[in-house]
Amino acid sequence: MGQSLLQYIYIYINIYYDGYLFEIGDKPHLSLTKLSQRHGPIMSLQLGQLTTIVVSSTTLAKEILRTHDQVFCNLTLPEAIHACKHSDYSMAWLPVSARWRNLRTICNLQLFAPKVLDANQAKRRVKVQKLIDDVNGSMRAGEAVNIRRAAFSTTLNLLSQTIFSVDLADPSSETTREFKETVWGMMEEIGKPNLADYFLFLRKLDPQGIRPRLTHYFQITVDMFDRMIHQRLESRKRDGYISTNDMLDTLMNINEEKMEDMDVLETQHLFLDLFAAGTDTSSATMEWAMAELLRNPKILSKAQAELEQVIGKGKLVEESDIARLPYLQAIIKETFRVHPTVPFLLPR
Ligand code: HEM
């Protein structure tokens, strides 16, 4: 029943507010391009009760995103994220502030610094090798490869190895199966068009029931991270503990062995951000890149030729090889351009 009633409400309020919601559709970046061809490079759209300014020229985009980014960088937050009890701990949703800058500094200097990532590269190499082995196995058995599933599991494990030194996409474990579904569900709920974003009076009603589902997903994830943080704190107290060089150890080293309650909460939410922002984005981009290569066999051959020439047939590509593969880099950049996974929603 929900669907038809919702559609009815949607049509009614759209007509009532004389808005553009109808014209946006399910490919907003394309429909906005079309609208801009009609209305020009800067236009104001009434989306329900929300007034939205759309900029569609390089010059104006540079003005807003680069020259005056400080003025424009705190956009309206999607209603769904309030389902997270501590959304004010999340780097992605925080306004530009001292706390946000502090988190960015920790990420830039401590977590994503090249030498830190290089130190735990071996863990990711094992996951890439596993992906290749799985694909080879399917090839020998004459089975189709489900790229979406393979890319998602690999990305999740690449991240969970980098952060916790564990596999969070292990099909044989019940906990990790639940985690995978949770991350997937979280992305779906946050990405779904939510009427409550456009009509303020619907916020309390939450007609699509997004808030309770998301609260449930956030809670499962945060509880899991909490267990992992406390297990690690216990392990580190034992004699002969050997550092794992992962992000959790790095953060614990910054906090000088002890983690106050506040630090635990911040760490849980930083990891929630990294998993939510890093999994589906990367795996969807990989899936699109593969789909586009299959549709463009000439480009696929050129990419294969580059790999053979630079790396050698049958050899594993290392992270440090990427700089020597300009054609492959161009393919990834073009995939970002044609299939942006996060064209909207984020405040910056
Ligand atoms: C194909 C892959 C990815 C795409 C297309 C993508 C896209 C984006 C975009 C458009 C933003 C908003 C722009 C900004 O705030 O500067 C963003 C922010 C963010 N991304 Fe990604 N991302 C990807 C992968 C990742 C990965 C792998 C991680 C972490 C492991 C990650 C973590 C974050 C975080 C934490 C933010 C918020 C930054 C802030 O607000 O300061 N992303 N991403």
Side-chain angles (χ1 to χ4, degrees), residues 55-221:
V55 161
S56 312
S57 83
T58 322
T59 323
L60 281 176
K62 256 190 199 155
E63 281 282 302
I64 288 177
L65 299 174
R66 206 177 276 172
T67 320
H68 300 291
D69 62 333
Q70 289 285 325
V71 182
F72 292 103
C73 64
N74 294 325
L75 303 182
T76 312
L77 299 184
E79 176 58 18
I81 63 123
H82 298 300
C84 179
K85 212 168 39 182
H86 298 292
S87 59
D88 51 342
Y89 278 84
S90 159
M91 178 163 63
W93 307 112
L94 270 172
V96 170
S97 56
R99 183 185 270 177
W100 173 75
R101 282 201 185 89
N102 186 32
L103 284 167
R104 294 282 302 203
T105 308
I106 292 174
C107 281
N108 288 340
L109 299 184
Q110 310 281 353
L111 303 183
F112 292 100
K115 78 171 185 338
V116 179
L117 289 179
D118 285 351
N120 52 35
Q121 195 186 145
K123 293 175 186 165
R124 291 188 295 278
R125 189 184 296 126
V126 174
K127 297 298 118 193
V128 175
Q129 186 61 57
K130 160 120 188 22
L131 173 67
I132 293 170
D133 293 345
D134 288 349
V135 172
N136 279 338
S138 301
M139 207 167 70
R140 276 193 299 272
E143 287 166 0
V145 177
N146 185 328
I147 303 258
R148 167 171 297 189
R149 208 172 296 155
F152 189 79
S153 298
T154 305
T155 312
L156 195 51
N157 281 340
L158 289 174
L159 260 183
S160 63
Q161 282 289 344
T162 309
I163 295 176
F164 294 121
S165 304
V166 296
D167 281 347
L168 281 183
D170 173 2
S172 60
S173 147
E174 182 57 39
T175 320
T176 64
R177 210 170 21 246
E178 186 187 44
F179 183 75
K180 206 168 130 182
E181 278 161 21
T182 305
V183 174
W184 196 283
M186 216 155 33
M187 295 313 298
E188 270 199 319
E189 297 297 337
I190 295 180
K192 213 176 249 180
N194 183 355
L195 281 173
D197 279 332
Y198 306 103
F199 303 99
L200 302 185
F201 62 90
L202 291 177
R203 289 203 166 171
K204 279 216 164 83
L205 292 173
D206 183 25
Q208 288 149 278
I210 291 176
R211 210 180 304 132
R213 285 195 296 272
L214 256 181
T215 306
H216 171 71
Y217 291 140
F218 281 139
Q219 200 55 51
I220 291 182
T221 319

Side-chain angles (χ1 to χ4, degrees), residues 91-92 100 104 159 274 277-278 281-282 285 336 341-342 346 348:
M91 178 163 63
W100 173 75
R104 294 282 302 203
L159 260 183
L274 300 185
T281 44
S282 308
T285 304
F336 283 149
T341 53
V342 202
L346 285 166
R348 280 173 279 286

